[in-house]
Amino acid sequence: MNTRKEQSARGETVDLSKVEKILEKYKNTRGAIIPILQMVQAEYGYLSEPVVDLISEKLNISTHEIVGVATFYAQFHLKPRGHHIIKVCCGTACHVKGAKKVLDKLSEALEVSTGMTTKDNVFTLEEVACLGACSLAPVMMVDEDIHGKLAPDTVATVIKEIKETGISGAA
Amino acid sequence: MTMVNNETRNQQLQKPQIIIGMASCGLGAGARNVLKSVEHELKKQKLEADILHTGCIGMCAHEVLMDVIFPGRTRVTYGNVKTTMVPQILEEHVGKGEAVKKFVMSQMYLDDKTVIPYEGLPFFDDLEMNKGQKKYILRNCGYIDPDSIDEYIARGGYTALEKVLKAMTPKAVIDEISKSGLRGRGGGGFPTGEKWASCAKYSADEKFVLCNADEGDPGAFMDRSLLEGDPHAVLEGMIIAGYAINATSGYIYVRAEYPLAVKRLKHTIEEAKKRGFLGENILKSGYNLEMYIKEGAGAFVCGESTSLQNSIEGKRGMPRTRPPQSVEAGLWDKPTCLNNVETFANVPFIINKGADWYSRIGTENSKGTKIFSLTGKIKNAGLVEVPMGTTIRQIVFDMGGGIPKKKKFKAVQIGGPSGGCLPEPLLDSPIDYESLVGAGAMMGSGSFVVVDDTTCMVEMARFFMNFCANESCGKCPPCRIGTTLMLDILTRITVGQGEEKDLEVLEQMSDEMKVMSLCGLGQSAPNPVKSTIRYFRDEYIAHIRDKTCPTATCVALHKYEVIPEKCTKCQACIRNCPVKAISGSTMKVAFINKEKCIKCNLCYEKCNFMAIK
């Protein structure tokens, strides 16, 4: 029962023991689906089919309901994502200060469109409504670091730096 | 359990202190590198100093902010700190006690005022951006280490809770809050005391106090700053509210996009528990309250109270019809009281100062101060806290420092997607709940985005409608279909396919959506459209009838041209053109080759003389 591996329709192998640990922790909490999905996603990067099936089985909630919740919130992903997540803020302040151009430039530099992951699985480019760092607009968040006062010509440097060092220090 | 202790940390200062603003805005500007460099230089120069981390002091445009306190002297603030400035500041100020004047923004007294000021340095409160502000709710942000409960206590923290639990009945607390005139800072402006009173009158085996920290308004960050800068004040306010309505547990619903705030809150709750301010038998009064954090998962609609409750219950965050109101049957169908972060942060202050004192601030119907997050095309972007009734002009031009790059003020968008755009003639109107609604905007969460004359208001309306259409939960058709159809029309207008009757249709749809939508999202989604049509009708007409965009924002409509009389031959446009479509020299006025031009709008933006149309 310790390590349980299952294959999904897509052919990926997923180690489910971590999910069981998370479920164990939340078994007595009310309304725990969202925190469970958040923790599972933090562990695997996304919500895979076998993981959702297991949660459904253990909590006795239909998979439809779980997927219904997961698709309602912008935070959950049912497809794998890259190692680094780039979230470009498109809030009002950033919009007024040219977020669109930053996004276009990133899209060009990474050769992916918004919402997609690069071929080498390193970056996923996303658009978010607001990161709450409006005074530094335009802003993007790489993993948990905020990079502010961006300009189309500086974003490429940030990406290059991350590619070279593998980590994203604040600009 | 420790009792509240009011000794200030600064009286016992033995060695210099270095304080670095480490809120999200500071980190984004590079505070981590400054910190590293400070640590490195201290070792290198063999100096001793305590390093403290604080939240945001509100001057976000000047981040990274680093303060130095030399024992016996005032606290000096350095702005726009770069790692290259660190060695000199450490050597002269931390080492010898002489402030490096060329980098200094201001100085300020410590709590006791017995320290000696530096000559020739302005004081913090005298800076243009701080004059006219009243920092009551933000009093601790940027001053204390938010992770240290001792520092909060040292500045009078938890005295309000102690007073409430020892000397006041729940009813007396509610009366005090009612008397103060405090209204919900989340936007709607419902009287807080009234809400608490109606929740208190229901009895149930379980009752909840909720904190709405799902600040989703694009352009707003005051809740984040409070949570990152002074989390104990919010928590203290919640515990007092919990006591007043006899809540058994509390939930803080905070956006997952604010990882630092989440981390701080977890730590804050633990610390408060350890000291007996939270949990079982709080301060030996017999009152119990448990506190939980729920991380939001990225849905704007969850800022609406019933959606938020559904989300905590683990469902899709969709609103429900009311009645029953949440105060009667909210979270898990139990009586629930929901307030915003800033509302809770007001509570300890009111209890300490007294309702009479508090109600003297502000206007007749809007009491106290309001924090605005000032962003967009403005010099001093950041947080400002002003008494209700301050005019828009004061905020934009006095505290905000006006519009950069010699451009002109055009409008201010107050209250995010639920608010509206107010034009220049309304600059002198005071800010309070009623007058904003009257002008067609709304307090909303208090975002304050300034736009200059290069911003297209039609595009702005389209932007907000796009946001609302994306964020509509889809439960009620007026909002789901209304936002989509209005977005279609607005998009059509911005690409030059607008029709004469569009304005009429938009106005009619706005009114219908306002009346028919289920929750605040749909009811307020048309606000930006309505207010822009009301104040900037000319721009709509220019798009529809003349197929031009007066500000050259809507690229599809534009043919770029140089105005020869205005061109100063500075060549900024030529340097910035990515496709080399502009020719000219120091001798010759710039010329744009329309065939090569890709309409990226860069030349228009880079031109400082409005010479490109």
Side-chain angles (χ1 to χ4, degrees):
Chain A
M1 154 97 192
N2 285 335
T3 34
R4 208 176 125 174
K5 289 189 177 170
E6 244 175 60
Q7 274 212 327
S8 76
R10 224 183 266 121
E12 57 210 328
T13 317
V14 183
D15 174 5
L16 292 172
S17 57
K18 289 174 193 158
V19 185
E20 286 178 352
K21 251 184 230 156
I22 294 168
L23 287 172
E24 188 64 23
K25 191 178 157 196
Y26 280 98
K27 67 178 175 196
N28 295 323
T29 318
R30 281 190 291 185
I33 302 187
I34 295 171
I36 288 173
L37 293 180
Q38 281 169 333
M39 293 197 55
V40 169
Q41 183 166 289
E43 199 67 60
Y44 297 93
Y46 72 108
L47 304 172
S48 62
E49 233 181 271
V51 165
V52 172
D53 287 344
L54 180 67
I55 298 173
S56 152
E57 185 191 314
K58 292 272 167 172
L59 297 184
N60 202 15
I61 303 172
S62 75
T63 46
H64 298 92
E65 200 181 329
I66 298 176
V67 173
V69 169
T71 49
F72 183 81
Y73 297 99
Q75 196 189 29
F76 297 119
H77 303 276
L78 302 172
K79 274 192 262 167
R81 296 199 296 163
H83 294 298
H84 296 292
I85 313 294
I86 303 175
K87 294 178 183 164
V88 179
C89 177
C90 292
T92 324
C94 294
H95 176 77
V96 181
K97 289 203 154 182
K100 179 80 180 42
K101 282 190 198 103
V102 169
L103 191 64
D104 289 348
K105 190 77 195 181
L106 275 170
S107 172
E108 191 191 310
L110 296 170
E111 295 173 10
V112 285
S113 52
T114 319
M116 304 300 280
T117 304
T118 52
K119 276 193 204 119
D120 55 4
N121 258 336
V122 178
F123 294 104
T124 299
L125 182 64
E126 288 171 1
E127 212 179 293
V128 290
C130 183
L131 291 169
C134 317
S135 53
L136 299 169
V139 181
M140 69 176 179
M141 197 173 190
V142 183
D143 302 329
E144 292 209 339
D145 290 320
I146 286 186
H147 298 255
K149 294 184 184 165
L150 297 171
D153 36 347
T154 57
V155 284
T157 0
V158 179
I159 300 300
K160 210 176 140 215
E161 199 180 295
I162 299 166
K163 270 188 181 162
E164 277 164 11
T165 59
I167 38 163
S168 64
Chain B
M1 184 175 60
T2 31
M3 285 325 289
V4 177
N5 162 13
N6 275 325
E7 210 173 332
T8 58
R9 70 159 189 255
N10 299 318
Q11 280 163 356
Q12 329 138 15
L13 202 66
Q14 299 296 330
K15 47 186 172 180
Q17 260 182 2
I18 299 170
I19 303 160
I20 301 177
M22 301 281 268
S24 293
C25 46
L27 292 174
R32 210 169 277 145
N33 286 343
V34 171
L35 177 68
K36 264 188 222 153
S37 137
V38 167
E39 282 166 350
H40 173 80
E41 277 297 318
L42 280 177
K43 262 189 217 140
K44 197 175 148 199
Q45 300 189 19
K46 297 197 177 74
L47 292 169
E48 270 198 48
D50 288 326
I51 301 175
L52 276 144
H53 307 169
T54 62
C56 173
I57 205 164
M59 300 196 291
C60 306
H62 303 280
E63 292 278 7
V64 179
L65 293 168
M66 180 171 119
D67 290 32
V68 175
I69 311 178
F70 194 79
R73 306 300 299 267
T74 47
R75 171 175 164 172
V76 174
T77 306
Y78 295 96
N80 301 309
V81 176
K82 307 259 171 337
T83 45
T84 46
M85 290 151 66
V86 171
Q88 195 187 351
I89 296 175
L90 291 196
E91 191 187 330
E92 292 178 25
H93 198 163
V94 178
K96 300 173 193 155
E98 291 155 23
V100 187
K101 289 195 176 153
K102 62 178 175 183
F103 299 146
V104 172
M105 288 190 62
S106 64
Q107 60 177 336
M108 61 178 102
Y109 281 112
L110 307 179
D111 296 336
D112 50 6
K113 278 213 172 190
T114 56
V115 289
I116 308 161
Y118 293 88
E119 236 172 84
L121 294 184
F123 278 92
F124 183 78
D125 293 328
D126 296 337
L127 290 183
E128 208 51 53
M129 69 187 99
N130 295 325
K131 256 191 231 168
Q133 286 201 50
K134 287 268 179 283
K135 297 218 176 196
Y136 295 135
I137 308 309
L138 290 173
R139 65 194 177 281
N140 289 330
C141 288
Y143 290 88
I144 62 169
D145 176 355
D147 279 333
S148 156
I149 192 169
D150 287 318
E151 295 207 357
Y152 179 64
I153 292 172
R155 283 179 70 101
Y158 289 113
T159 47
L161 180 64
E162 206 180 4
K163 182 174 164 189
V164 163
L165 292 178
K166 296 229 159 102
M168 292 170 90
T169 60
K171 189 174 175 305
V173 178
I174 294 173
D175 287 345
E176 191 76 5
I177 298 296
S178 299
K179 224 168 72 185
S180 74
L182 175 66
R183 295 171 67 176
R185 297 292 192 246
F190 191 79
T192 307
E194 210 174 293
K195 191 188 257 181
W196 290 13
S198 51
C199 189
K201 74 172 185 234
Y202 295 102
S203 53
D205 56 338
E206 265 188 312
K207 264 182 165 182
F208 300 102
V209 55
L210 306 186
C211 175
N212 183 352
D214 188 61
E215 185 174 53
D217 257 19
F221 55 96
M222 65 288 288
D223 290 351
R224 175 182 63 73
S225 296
L226 272 169
L227 292 172
E228 287 179 1
D230 196 11
H232 281 288
V234 181
L235 187 64
E236 189 182 355
M238 268 188 93
I239 304 169
I240 294 172
Y243 171 75
I245 63 160
N246 197 20
T248 47
S249 5
Y251 285 91
I252 305 175
Y253 189 90
V254 56
R255 292 184 78 192
E257 282 90 343
Y258 290 174
L260 185 61
V262 173
K263 212 169 96 193
R264 286 261 150 88
L265 279 173
K266 283 186 182 153
H267 179 78
T268 303
I269 290 176
E270 258 167 51
E271 292 276 282
K273 257 191 190 158
K274 264 188 229 155
R275 302 295 178 95
F277 297 123
L278 191 64
E280 298 272 307
N281 195 11
I282 299 173
L283 294 175
K284 291 184 182 156
S285 66
Y287 176 61
N288 309 322
L289 182 70
E290 277 306 319
M291 191 66 69
Y292 306 95
I293 295 175
K294 279 274 172 172
E295 281 181 54
F300 178 67
V301 70
C302 288
E304 197 274 341
S305 63
T306 55
S307 308
L308 188 148
Q309 289 158 12
N310 275 330
S311 181
I312 294 182
E313 291 176 22
K315 300 179 191 148
R316 299 172 72 123
M318 287 179 171
R320 60 165 173 78
T321 46
R322 287 178 284 184
Q325 296 292 343
S326 303
V327 286
E328 187 187 347
L331 189 59
W332 283 296
D333 281 334
K334 307 284 178 184
T336 301
C337 176
L338 172 102
N339 283 119
N340 163 268
V341 171
E342 199 186 328
T343 317
F344 282 126
N346 269 276
V347 170
F349 185 72
I350 293 172
I351 299 289
N352 278 329
K353 288 279 187 179
D356 289 330
W357 190 93
Y358 186 87
S359 62
R360 281 198 288 273
I361 318 165
T363 62
E364 198 190 334
N365 292 317
S366 304
K367 299 294 182 194
T369 55
K370 174 79 189 91
I371 308 173
F372 289 99
S373 48
L374 197 53
T375 58
K377 303 284 179 77
I378 189 132
K379 272 187 197 145
N380 304 326
L383 282 184
V384 296
E385 183 181 346
V386 290
M388 293 278 188
T390 306
T391 63
I392 301 176
R393 185 186 297 278
Q394 281 172 305
I395 296 180
V396 174
F397 289 96
D398 297 350
M399 291 145 212
I403 319 294
K405 292 188 187 163
K406 293 182 189 159
K407 303 224 162 132
K408 266 181 69 194
F409 172 87
K410 182 167 192 178
V412 52
Q413 157 73 27
I414 303 178
S418 41
C421 294
L422 304 184
E424 204 178 353
L426 290 173
L427 269 177
D428 288 309
S429 48
I431 293 189
D432 59 50
Y433 292 98
E434 276 72 28
S435 59
L436 281 180
V437 171
M442 206 174 131
M443 190 73 86
S445 53
S447 74
F448 207 98
V449 185
V450 178
V451 296
D452 63 15
D453 48 2
T454 61
T455 309
C456 172
M457 300 316 283
V458 184
E459 164 58 25
M460 190 87 169
R462 196 202 65 81
F463 168 79
F464 281 114
M465 196 45 76
N466 182 37
F467 179 85
C468 291
N470 280 335
E471 294 293 341
S472 170
C473 80
K475 186 173 179 178
C476 74
C479 174
R480 179 181 68 234
I481 301 170
T483 50
T484 312
L485 290 180
M486 283 173 85
L487 175 63
D488 278 353
I489 298 177
L490 289 165
T491 310
R492 253 196 309 109
I493 297 177
T494 54
V495 296
Q497 290 163 5
E499 293 163 26
E500 294 273 341
K501 65 173 201 291
D502 282 343
L503 285 184
E504 224 174 286
V505 176
L506 280 176
E507 277 179 323
Q508 194 191 343
M509 285 180 79
S510 298
D511 294 336
E512 286 167 359
M513 264 179 77
K514 208 178 176 83
V515 181
M516 288 159 67
S517 294
L518 179 58
C519 81
L521 196 156
Q523 286 158 7
S524 60
N527 279 356
V529 180
K530 266 196 97 168
S531 63
T532 45
I533 294 183
R534 180 166 160 193
Y535 297 118
F536 302 95
R537 187 174 272 271
D538 294 356
E539 264 182 56
Y540 277 91
I541 291 176
H543 281 79
I544 294 171
R545 201 174 294 159
D546 313 331
K547 311 285 176 210
T548 57
C549 174
T551 59
T553 311
C554 302
V555 224
L557 289 177
H558 209 70
K559 298 167 195 77
Y560 289 82
E561 253 175 63
V562 178
I563 309 168
E565 304 87 69
K566 285 192 178 171
C567 179
T568 61
K569 309 183 185 90
C570 72
Q571 300 178 44
C573 53
I574 300 175
R575 278 197 303 277
N576 285 294
C577 180
V579 290
K580 300 199 165 45
I582 312 178
S583 57
S585 65
T586 45
M587 312 295 286
K588 210 172 136 206
V589 168
F591 174 77
I592 301 173
N593 182 339
K594 280 179 200 142
E595 273 167 20
K596 276 190 183 172
C597 175
I598 53 164
K599 297 182 176 179
C600 68
N601 202 40
L602 258 178
C603 53
Y604 181 81
E605 266 171 34
K606 294 286 176 183
C607 180
N608 288 325
F609 307 96
M610 301 291 289
I612 290 172
K613 64 174 182 185

